[in-house]
Amino acid sequence: MDTCDVCGNHEGRMFTVTMASQTGTFDSFECAIHMMAPACEHCGCRILGHPVESEPGIYCCLHCAKEAGNPRRAAKPQHSTVAVPAPGAAAGQG
């Protein structure tokens, strides 16, 4: 039986998500987002839409990019930043 890589749940409908060389098993999109969506380098929120990318960071919005002192530049489609929680980290901590 599969177990969610984020929350440890093993009941319900499990699914897998693969991005680049990383694959995870999840019980909800919330858990998949928590593990696989890139995190804004300024505020830390998960980026679900189109990011603002600047050397060297990726941001959730233009405001965060400006606050971090970076000019705006559209993200490259091939760019992928994967935020992986530390081993044993519980969802929502960190």
Side-chain angles (χ1 to χ4, degrees):
M1 178 177 276
D2 289 331
T3 300
C4 178
D5 292 341
V6 174
C7 70
N9 182 31
H10 57 82
E11 298 178 23
R13 295 183 180 180
M14 299 294 171
F15 61 94
T16 60
V17 174
T18 300
M19 184 169 68
S21 63
Q22 183 181 16
T23 298
T25 300
F26 308 103
D27 66 340
S28 67
F29 284 108
E30 180 180 6
C31 285
I33 288 166
H34 177 77
M35 184 172 167
M36 307 222 27
C40 175
E41 298 207 20
H42 179 71
C43 72
C45 76
R46 297 296 175 183
I47 302 170
L48 304 181
H50 299 284
V52 174
E53 184 181 6
S54 178
E55 295 301 329
I58 187 167
Y59 305 93
C60 63
C61 63
L62 184 55
H63 171 77
C64 281
K66 286 181 178 179
E67 286 291 309
N70 293 295
R72 179 182 178 173
R73 188 180 74 181
K76 298 175 188 173
Q78 70 274 13
H79 180 77
S80 176
T81 303
V82 178
V84 179
Q93 294 181 349

